[in-house]
Amino acid sequence: MTHSLVCPETVSRVSSVLNRNTRQFGKKHLFDRDEETCWNSDQGPSQWVTLEFPQRVCVSGLQIQFQGGFSSQRGRLEGSQRGEALSKIVDFYPKDNNSLQMFPVPPAEVDQLKVTFEDATDFFGRVVIYHLRVLGEKTV
C-alpha cells in the first residue's frame, strides 16, 4: 500500500523562498497539509525541492498542488542512493491550475530525491506549491 513518504526525519531543501520570508512561504508549508499555506519560490529560471529520507524508500508517485498562474510546464524527478550522483527517474508535465495533480513514477529505490520545476508559467519564474506528496513504500 502506498503512502506519503515524507516524515519529520526527512530533510528538505528548496531553491529559494520569496523575499526570504520562510515564516510565511517556507519549505515546511509543502508538507503541512494546510490549505492556507504554501511554499512560494523567489524568481529564477528553475526551482527545485530536494528530500533526504532517513531510510531507503521505493517511490511510485508524486502529488502536487500548484497555485494556478504559478506552476511549472515541465518537471523532472531525479533520485539517488547515498553517496551516488542523482539520475533522472521521470519527466512530468503539470497543468497550470489549482487542482491536486497526480504523476505516476516508475518504481525507484532511493534515499534522496530532487524535484525540479522548469518553464514556470509566471513571467518571473516563481512557483507556488500548496501540497507536495511523495508516494510509495519504505523498504526494509
Side-chain angles (χ1 to χ4, degrees):
M1 174 163 179
T2 62
H3 58 275
S4 179
L5 297 171
V6 176
C7 65
E9 293 79 33
T10 303
V11 177
S12 61
R13 293 182 179 85
V14 293
S15 51
S16 64
V17 175
L18 183 65
N19 300 326
R20 296 187 179 159
N21 186 344
T22 57
R23 179 183 254 270
Q24 188 172 2
F25 301 119
K27 63 186 179 181
K28 65 185 175 201
H29 299 304
L30 287 167
F31 314 109
D32 65 6
R33 297 184 177 255
D34 184 342
E35 298 292 329
E36 303 295 319
T37 64
C38 62
W39 167 58
N40 192 332
S41 77
D42 215 335
Q43 58 187 2
S46 71
Q47 303 297 333
W48 51 261
V49 176
T50 62
L51 300 168
E52 294 178 23
F53 298 98
Q55 69 182 73
R56 187 154 299 160
V57 297
C58 183
V59 178
S60 60
L62 283 179
Q63 287 184 332
I64 306 172
Q65 184 177 12
F66 292 95
Q67 177 178 320
F70 293 89
S71 67
S72 165
Q73 296 179 66
R74 184 172 41 134
R76 182 175 61 250
L77 180 65
E78 299 171 285
S80 70
Q81 296 181 359
R82 298 256 187 260
E84 296 179 0
L86 290 168
S87 60
K88 183 176 101 169
I89 298 171
V90 69
D91 290 324
F92 59 95
Y93 301 91
K95 294 185 170 106
D96 185 19
N97 62 36
N98 299 328
S99 63
L100 185 63
Q101 301 178 55
M102 175 66 182
F103 303 99
V105 173
E109 287 195 16
V110 298
D111 299 305
Q112 301 174 38
L113 283 177
K114 181 176 184 181
V115 186
T116 303
F117 304 101
E118 300 174 333
D119 298 332
T121 57
D122 173 59
F123 180 77
F124 296 103
R126 297 169 295 190
V127 173
V128 177
I129 298 177
Y130 283 87
H131 301 291
L132 173 62
R133 294 186 193 115
V134 178
L135 303 176
E137 300 288 327
K138 294 179 181 173
T139 61
V140 180

